[in-house]
Structures are given as structure tokens and as C-alpha cells.
Amino acid sequence: LRPLSIMISSSESRVGSKTLHSPGFAASQGFLMYLRRCLSCFPPLSLLPLMLTPSAPPLSSSGSNYAMSNGGGVASSSTHLLDFLEEPIPGVGTYDDFHTIDWVREKCKDRERHRKVRTPRSAWEFTKSLYDAWSGWLVVTLTGLASGALAGLIDIAADWMNDLKEGVCLSAMWFNHEQCCWTSNETTFAERDKCPQWKSWAELILGQAEGPGSYIMNYFMYIYWALSFAFLAVCLVKVFAPYACGSGIPEIKTILSGFIIRGYLGKWTLMIKTITLVLAVASGLSLGKEGPLVHVACCCGNIFSYLFPKYSKNEAKKREVLSAASAAGVSVAFGAPIGGVLFSLEEVSYYFPLKTLWRSFFAALVAAFVLRSINPFGNSRLVLFYVEYHTPWYLFELIPFILLGVFGGLWGAFFIRANIAWCRRRKSTRFGKYPVLEVILVAAITAVVAFPNPYTRQNTSELIKELFTDCGPLESSQLCQYRSQMNGSKAFTETPNRPAGPGVYAAMWQLCLALIFKIIMTIFTFGLKVPSGLFIPSMAIGAIAGRIVGIAVEQLAYYHHDWFLFKEWCEVGADCITPGLYAMVGAAACLGGVTRMTVSLVVIVFELTGGLEYIVPLMAAVMTSKWVGDAFGREGIYEAHIRLNGYPFLDAKEEFTHTTLAREVMRPRRSDPPLAVLTQDDLTVEELQGIINETSYNGFPVIVSKESQRLVGFALRRDITIAIENARRKQEGIMLNSRVYFTQHAPTLPADSPRPLKLRSILDMSPFTVTDHTPMEIVVDIFRKLGLRQCLVTHNGRLLGIITKKDILRHMAQMANQDPESIMFN
């Protein structure tokens, strides 16, 4: 074959410019092109196309050497080999920032890669195919390991810095309050949180632990550390990684739907989010670390995916890794691996095949195993507030459980409207231009109001743990100070139903004040320019309300045990009401009212608390909260923030019930200029660049001619630009008046025409089309299920217009009596 290639090259080089138009030359060129294509099909002969590259005659100023033959439109001998083999152009198929990926094209690319990898022809290629098959499991393993390690680090650091606001451990500075007193021999059972090794700031500075002066000093140091942590967090976010603020779940939902946000899941965002999340939680702001942990895990998944070409070069495959990473994030946030998988499926993922389900399960398992090995809470469990109840629930308790569900739905609807109104005001006023001042102001108000109340001063996770806990002989909480029948002390007696003592009533008032405080501050805190989650504050609000209701029902059953509701179940001395269970149900109801989660939320809560036999009360409360919340608005807080930011996100949960047709939504409208299209072989490079420069569209339909308007395909703006730049760099003779063609063979051109440019390789030959009479309900369904960016509208094969994803979002907003332009991403 090598002598044959030399013979072909030498025969081509002997062809003179005078024989370009002879029939014999055309026939010989056709044979050479056929032979070149046949040889290129043999993989071992990878270097042979280079041998078969024809020797070009000297270039002339007129460019006549690039003229095409008239006998069938076959290219001349000097045509570049890329035109025949249609090799991929570097950069084509990539996406700009703030654009949506083409799911169909990414799927086709992966299918082509799969064919090449799964047909090994040597031992080396077989090894590469095994590596490709296992790369998916390897990347989710690395993601789970990193997520678990970072979550453990965040938990330990946040606990230590949170206790730093109250004092310091003299024996070991890196110990928090609980760890400092573990080895103390002077600690008593009644005052187990006090030990000589732990010193408050008043003891260190003033030398006294009690009195007004020590209280004021501790108050001042609490505010000082809270403001310091908040100030450092917002400054790090503003200077180094603006994408590290907020929860991250609305943006991750949008990214998983196919939207590109460069840098949102990058290395700087991961580093700054990890550091500032610890600072924000330790500052005492009404926020949690659970939502941001999902963002942290997705950053890990995105970074590790770049180590594997299978995922780094395919945006759709990368999103499968991100779905598994979000499951790992919830797994380490709540210690709920199964709940994390369901959360990824129900709440954040847009495309969730069965293979992603398995890998999400494995990633959540690995992350939970790493967190359990680190044991950040010192209780040999994955979560801080793991509880076990020893009493069953009774049928009559469904009434207060459902009432807690109603409260959760009302709170969710109120919070979403109030928080969105405040965030919209922040965007539209000058106040939003000073994020550092806003964070400091909110942190100062939070610290000043929170310190006097013990239930708002402590860490929110510690508060939830105390509210969930059932009163037993080892509990010294104020919530467990019931009156004994013998001496009136706070001791716990063997009688389960007992009257509440003064401590319980004082705790009830403090909890009511804490509930009001948490409701107000959470509205203004969520959306600040620091990492801020919503799970823990919502659960705290529900737990406070649930504990209040639980104590009320318990006392009602004690004093009125002869009522028909309590008579059958609550006998005198019987173990009847568990207030901690009401706190757990209330927490689930409020979180469900805010996020509108159902199945995944119930699984998360029973994994979180170990209350497996209380699934029915949880289901009843969560379903009630969703129904009540949906009565005021069907979108959850994450969907509301997506709409506020104008991200192009088509929510699969939202129904389209209007009777409009595709022709009513497509562009151009009657008052718009005509549709910008490209003809398949009539344009020059200069005309094509003029169309690109004069418009801002992301793609252009390609038609046969202006007269027929018959559709040929669709070409993306970015691909056209990259292809022209690549041709000018690698192919000689491409000029402004070079003809551009999208057909298989070049058109017939005059002898003095410059070399044409073939762009067929970047043309989508099978764009999705609908007729102008297609109902929009079907069009919206197509966009959702296929992840389309645009769809062309035709009538009897003639191109009429185009419908993009943003056109559908504008139309849906218009049908909902909203301003269609105010919600679009800018």
C-alpha cells in the first residue's frame, strides 16, 4: 500500500493546471478520492491519509487553482483532506457560559464514543474499554470520599468555632466545650456542662463567673465573635468566590437541567464555600449547612469528572456525576444515604437513568461511611440528633399531627412569599449593593436578640436535638422539669404522665419567643451573600412548634384523661404522649412546606432520627403541609429562587393547561423582522459573518433557498464561528468572498472563484420540528423530556419559525399574568 500511495501522490503532482477541466482529470480525481476513503477505513493505517495528501500546485493571486470541475461537482486536487474525511473541528460542540446544552447531541456523542470503546481490537484497547467502564464508579467513589471528609471537617470546625463565642478550653485550645469536659473528674451530673478546664470569657478577662459584669462581658464577646465570623465570611465570598454564597441548590437544579454556569462548581468555589460555611454557621445566623453541603459535594463531583475524558468532554454525562454527588451531599448532611438518593431523584435531578440511581446509591454509601469513620459528633452516629422513642403513637394523635402539617404548609407559603419579596427588593434597591453591610447588620441583630434566650443562643442543631429528645432520668433539660408526686422537685418519677413544673412553663415562653425570632430572622437571612442553608432553620421552627403542641397535648391528656379522645388510650399512669415525637413531626412538616418535598423528606427524617415506626405520622404531616402550601402557590423555595433569578428552567412538576398552538408562540411574530436563516450554498464567508455580527441568536436554520424555504438543518452560532476561524488557520485560500456550503458536494463555481468552505460537519441534519398546529402542551412536554434548546416550526415542509426554551418560559409567564421579560436571566 505504501508504494501505491507514493504512486498516487506522484500522479497527482504531475497533473498540470491546464488539465483541470478535462473529463479524464475528473474521473481520475474521483477514483483517487474513492481510494483515499477506502484506505482511511483501515484503523492500522492511521498515517496513510497523510501519505495520500495531494501535492498542491503553486498558488496564484486569482485563486484559480481552487476552481471546481463541472463534471459532477468533485473537488479539485488541492482540496484539503478535512473536506473529504470531515474530521472533527476543535472547539465545535462546546458551549458558552450561561447557555443550555443540547442533550440530544451529547447523547449522540456518547453513543459514538461507546461504539468505539466497546469494540477493542487489541489488548491495549481492551484495557482502555475496562477503564472506561469503571471510570463512572471510580469518579463517584472519589466524590463520596471527598464529600464525607469535607463534611466531617466542617462539622468539627463549626462546633469548635460556635463554642468559641462562649469560652475556650485551657487544656487544649482545639477542643470544643463538650470535648473539653469529657475527661474532667470534677464535673457533676447536675452541672455536666461545667468543668474547670473550660473557661468563659468573663472568667478569663474579669476573673469572675457570676454577676452582672460577667454577663455583660460574655454578652459582648458573643456579639464580637459573631460579627467577626460573619464579616470574614462575607469578605471571603465577595473577594474570592461570589458563587459561594447562598444555598446552591437552585443553581444546581438549573445546572442539572442543562444550563452552563462556568465557575459555579470550580475549585475556588469549593475552597471558599467550605471555609465560609464554617464561619457562617459559627456566627449564629439563622441558617444551616445542609443545603451548602450539597453544593460542596457537587463541586467535588465536577472537579473529579475532569480526570476522566468520558465525563469531561460530555456535558450530559457530567450531569450524571453531579446527580450522584448531590445524593452524597444530602447523605453527609443528614446521615441519610437512602434519603439522599431519593432527594437527588425527587428534587434536584433533571435526567436520572437507572445507572445514575445505582451510582448515586454507591456515592451516598461511601460518603456516609467516611463520615461515620470520622465520627464528628462523638456519638458513633452519623447525625447529632439521633433519638429513640419507646412509646407507640395512637390514632387520636393524627389530629395534632395534621394540625402541625397545616402549620407547616402555612409557614412554607408565608416564608416563600416574604423571602422572595425581600430578595426582589434587595435586587431592585441600593441596599443590595452593600452585601457586607447587610450581613453585618443581620448578624448584629441576630446576636443581640439571641443571647438572652438560651434556646436561640445555642447552636440550632443542638436546639433541634434537645427538642427531639424524650425526657428520661438522664435528661437535665429545662423541658424535662416535671413535678414529682412526692416532693415537688424536678426529679423524674416512674409515672409517665406527670404535671409540668415551673421549668416547663418557663421553657414554653422561651420557646414561643424563639419561634417568633426564628421566623423573622430566617426570612431576612436566607439569600445573604454567605453560604446559607434552609433545612436546619425550617426544621428548628417546626420542632419548636411541635414541642409546644406536644407539651400542650401531654398536659391536656394528664388533666383530662377522662375525655373520649384520651379515655381509651391514656389511662392514669399509662405512657401516652411523647412531646419529642411532635417536635419531629413538626420539623418534617415545616421543611416540607418550604421545599415541597414528600417521599425523600419522610425518608430523610426517619433516617435522621431512627423513628422507623413513626412513618405514618410523618407522611400525614408532610402530605398535609404540601396540600396546604400548594393551595397558596405550587412552587417551593428553590423553584421560586430559580424564577427570581430568571434561570431557563422548565419545572417538570408544573403543568401546562393552556390551549395555545405552536404558531402563537414561535418567533418571528407578525411585528418582528423575518427569521434569520442561512441558505445551503448561496452565502459567502463575508455574508455569513455579517449575519452573525448583526444578530445575537445562538443558532440559525439552514434552508435550501430563499424561495423554497425547505429546511435542511440547524447550525449553532458558536460552531460556525469556530469552524470559520479553524478553516482560516489551517486551510489556505479561504477569503471573504469564499462560498460557504452545507451540502455534501460543492456547488458549481466559476474558474476564478476562491476556495469554498464546507461546513456540513457542523450542521445538525435532524433538528426537532413541529408543525404550526401542534398544541403547546405537547411542545412543552417535548422540551422537558428531551431537554431541547430550540424546536423549528414548519408547515408542509416549509420553515415558518423557531421556538426556544426562553420563548416557552416567556409564554408560560404570560399565561400566568406575569411580566415575561422580568423573569429572564440577564
Side-chain angles (χ1 to χ4, degrees):
L1 289 176
R2 181 176 177 84
L4 178 62
S5 66
I6 298 174
M7 180 187 69
I8 294 171
S9 301
S10 61
S11 65
E12 288 178 347
S13 64
R14 289 196 297 268
V15 176
S17 59
K18 295 182 181 180
T19 62
L20 283 176
H21 300 286
S22 64
F25 176 79
S28 64
Q29 285 297 97
F31 170 73
L32 292 178
M33 182 181 72
Y34 171 75
L35 183 60
R36 215 178 279 119
R37 283 189 172 184
C38 291
L39 293 176
S40 67
C41 296
F42 291 90
L45 307 178
S46 58
L47 296 178
L48 199 54
L50 298 177
M51 304 175 189
L52 297 183
T53 304
S55 302
L59 297 177
S60 63
S61 59
S62 62
S64 60
N65 290 326
Y66 295 99
M68 312 308 295
S69 74
N70 294 325
V74 181
S76 70
S77 63
S78 59
T79 305
H80 197 275
L81 190 62
L82 284 174
D83 292 344
F84 292 125
L85 303 182
E86 293 188 1
E87 294 182 1
I89 301 173
V92 169
T94 57
Y95 304 94
D96 285 323
D97 200 6
F98 304 124
H99 283 70
T100 305
I101 70 171
D102 190 337
W103 285 89
V104 179
R105 181 168 69 172
E106 298 297 307
K107 192 69 176 176
C108 293
K109 283 169 55 178
D110 184 64
R111 196 181 302 119
E112 188 66 26
R113 178 203 59 81
H114 196 270
R115 289 196 193 100
K116 292 179 181 178
V117 171
R118 298 303 186 207
T119 54
R121 291 172 292 272
S122 64
W124 172 244
E125 292 184 351
F126 179 73
T127 304
K128 289 201 305 184
S129 67
L130 288 179
Y131 172 75
D132 179 84
W134 278 95
S135 60
W137 296 101
L138 187 56
V139 69
V140 297
T141 302
L142 294 174
T143 302
L145 291 172
S147 302
L150 287 176
L153 178 66
I154 290 171
D155 288 334
I156 293 172
D159 285 345
W160 176 73
M161 295 185 72
N162 188 71
D163 288 343
L164 190 63
K165 294 184 298 184
E166 298 182 357
V168 66
C169 186
L170 296 181
S171 59
M173 286 283 294
W174 55 90
F175 279 175
N176 62 16
H177 194 170
E178 182 180 3
Q179 294 168 344
C180 187
C181 297
W182 274 349
T183 58
S184 176
N185 295 324
E186 293 84 0
T187 304
T188 62
F189 178 80
E191 297 179 341
R192 65 190 71 178
D193 59 335
K194 295 182 180 180
C195 60
Q197 290 83 2
W198 179 264
K199 297 292 184 181
S200 66
W201 291 111
E203 291 180 89
L204 288 175
I205 299 173
L206 302 179
Q208 57 182 11
E210 304 293 337
S214 62
Y215 182 85
I216 294 174
M217 178 55 66
N218 287 332
Y219 202 162
F220 173 77
M221 293 302 296
Y222 183 91
I223 297 173
Y224 168 76
W225 284 110
L227 292 179
S228 300
F229 294 154
F231 176 74
L232 185 57
V234 69
C235 288
L236 288 174
V237 168
K238 183 179 180 182
V239 175
F240 294 103
Y243 282 153
C245 67
S247 168
I249 293 181
E251 285 76 13
I252 288 171
K253 282 176 66 96
T254 309
I255 290 173
L256 288 178
S257 73
F259 197 55
I260 301 286
I261 306 180
R262 302 286 182 200
Y264 196 83
L265 302 176
K267 296 183 287 294
W268 269 110
T269 304
L270 172 62
M271 185 186 306
I272 299 302
K273 186 111 183 179
T274 303
I275 297 172
T276 55
L277 179 56
V278 174
L279 294 169
V281 172
S283 67
L285 289 168
S286 183
L287 48 82
K289 58 180 182 292
E290 282 65 27
L293 277 176
V294 176
H295 188 186
V296 168
C298 286
C299 288
C300 296
N302 179 67
I303 292 170
F304 286 125
S305 67
Y306 281 102
L307 302 177
F308 305 91
K310 176 180 178 180
Y311 297 101
S312 62
K313 296 180 180 179
N314 194 299
E315 292 291 342
K317 295 292 291 181
K318 187 186 296 182
R319 274 146 183 79
E320 296 180 14
V321 176
L322 298 181
S323 294
S326 62
V330 175
S331 174
V332 295
F334 289 106
I338 301 175
V341 176
L342 293 176
F343 174 82
S344 179
L345 171 63
E346 179 184 0
E347 189 64 24
V348 298
S349 293
Y350 197 83
Y351 174 64
F352 203 84
L354 193 60
K355 188 181 294 184
T356 304
L357 176 68
W358 299 334
R359 288 174 179 167
S360 301
F361 183 81
F362 185 71
L365 168 67
V366 172
F369 173 76
V370 173
L371 186 66
R372 172 64 181 80
S373 302
I374 296 174
N375 192 19
F377 303 111
N379 57 2
S380 299
R381 299 192 183 276
L382 291 174
V383 290
L384 179 63
F385 32 87
Y386 185 90
V387 294
E388 290 180 348
Y389 302 128
H390 305 288
T391 57
W393 64 277
Y394 300 103
L395 191 61
F396 75 91
E397 291 183 281
L398 278 178
I399 297 175
F401 292 154
I402 291 175
L403 290 177
L404 286 174
V406 172
F407 171 78
L410 293 175
W411 148 249
F414 169 74
F415 172 78
I416 291 171
R417 293 195 177 186
N419 181 254
I420 292 298
W422 175 249
C423 291
R424 186 175 288 114
R425 184 175 181 82
R426 180 191 293 131
K427 283 176 174 288
S428 60
T429 59
R430 294 185 60 187
F431 190 63
K433 298 179 181 179
Y434 306 100
V436 177
L437 179 63
E438 182 186 11
V439 170
I440 292 176
L441 185 62
V442 173
I445 295 174
T446 303
V448 169
V449 179
F451 185 83
N453 192 336
Y455 293 109
T456 54
R457 184 193 314 169
Q458 61 181 331
N459 188 11
T460 310
S461 297
E462 292 278 357
L463 171 63
I464 296 175
K465 176 188 177 183
E466 184 173 344
L467 294 172
F468 280 7
T469 303
D470 190 19
C471 288
L474 299 179
E475 296 299 327
S476 61
S477 170
Q478 194 177 11
L479 289 168
C480 296
Q481 293 183 5
Y482 291 91
R483 289 203 308 265
S484 172
Q485 297 293 336
M486 294 187 300
N487 54 12
S489 67
K490 66 177 182 180
F492 179 83
T493 64
E494 294 182 357
T495 306
N497 277 349
R498 53 206 181 279
V504 175
Y505 288 112
M508 290 276 282
W509 281 109
Q510 292 172 341
L511 285 178
C512 290
L513 295 175
L515 179 63
I516 298 172
F517 168 77
K518 287 286 184 183
I519 287 176
I520 296 174
M521 295 313 301
T522 305
I523 291 173
F524 294 98
T525 303
F526 188 71
L528 291 177
K529 297 303 180 184
V530 292
S532 55
L534 192 62
F535 282 66
I536 288 297
S538 298
M539 291 183 68
I541 291 171
I544 293 172
R547 188 76 184 203
I548 293 172
V549 172
I551 293 176
V553 174
E554 181 190 44
Q555 296 305 305
L556 198 64
Y558 175 79
Y559 287 107
H560 303 280
H561 57 84
D562 54 344
W563 285 10
F564 73 96
L565 281 176
F566 311 121
K567 190 171 184 180
E568 185 176 352
W569 293 285
C570 294
E571 301 176 2
V572 178
D575 209 354
C576 186
I577 307 297
T578 305
L581 172 61
Y582 286 75
M584 183 178 75
V585 172
C590 284
L591 186 54
V594 171
T595 62
R596 306 298 161 83
M597 294 191 300
T598 52
V599 180
S600 58
L601 176 58
V602 172
V603 175
I604 286 173
V605 173
F606 87 69
E607 280 190 282
L608 185 71
T609 59
L612 186 60
E613 60 183 83
Y614 302 105
I615 287 182
V616 173
L618 290 172
M619 292 175 66
V622 168
M623 207 66 241
T624 304
S625 70
K626 178 174 173 55
W627 285 337
V628 173
D630 286 347
F632 296 92
R634 300 188 64 86
E635 60 184 9
I637 184 64
Y638 301 131
E639 290 80 12
H641 273 269
I642 288 174
R643 185 168 56 85
L644 175 68
N645 294 325
Y647 296 134
F649 180 77
L650 274 176
D651 191 4
K653 303 173 187 175
E654 190 174 354
E655 296 180 2
F656 187 86
T657 57
H658 307 287
T659 58
T660 51
L661 300 178
R663 65 185 179 188
E664 302 174 37
V665 182
M666 71 177 189
R667 299 294 180 99
R669 307 284 175 83
R670 291 182 179 179
S671 58
D672 294 342
L675 186 67
V677 296
L678 309 178
T679 53
Q680 64 175 358
D681 55 8
D682 291 343
L683 290 174
T684 64
V685 173
E686 185 177 12
E687 292 171 342
L688 180 57
Q689 288 183 330
I691 295 175
I692 292 176
N693 294 332
E694 293 170 4
T695 61
S696 59
Y697 307 126
N698 293 327
F700 303 92
V702 179
I703 58 176
V704 175
S705 64
K706 295 284 188 180
E707 294 76 21
S708 68
Q709 293 287 322
R710 298 287 177 179
L711 182 64
V712 177
F714 192 84
L716 293 177
R717 175 197 193 93
R718 177 181 174 85
D719 292 352
I720 295 173
T721 305
I722 292 175
I724 293 176
E725 293 176 355
N726 184 77
R728 283 177 168 169
R729 188 172 58 253
K730 293 187 176 182
Q731 301 181 30
E732 298 179 353
I734 301 297
M735 305 177 182
L736 287 177
N737 58 342
S738 296
R739 186 72 65 88
V740 177
Y741 65 100
F742 295 91
T743 55
Q744 183 66 38
H745 303 292
T748 303
L749 299 176
D752 58 346
S753 297
R755 179 177 184 169
L757 175 60
K758 183 177 181 180
L759 297 182
R760 183 179 177 83
S761 62
I762 67 169
L763 182 65
D764 182 7
M765 300 294 293
S766 57
F768 279 87
T769 60
V770 295
T771 65
D772 53 340
H773 291 283
T774 305
M776 277 305 298
E777 186 176 0
I778 296 177
V779 175
V780 172
D781 213 28
I782 292 173
F783 269 79
R784 282 175 178 158
K785 293 182 177 179
L786 296 180
L788 299 185
R789 295 196 298 178
Q790 68 277 323
C791 183
L792 302 176
V793 182
T794 61
H795 179 75
N796 294 334
R798 290 171 56 88
L799 179 65
L800 292 183
I802 185 172
I803 299 176
T804 65
K805 197 174 185 179
K806 289 188 177 182
D807 290 332
I808 290 181
L809 290 169
R810 289 190 185 97
H811 180 66
M812 295 174 71
Q814 192 173 3
M815 292 292 101
N817 297 321
Q818 299 171 354
D819 182 11
E821 300 299 331
S822 65
I823 66 167
M824 298 313 299
F825 178 73
N826 185 354

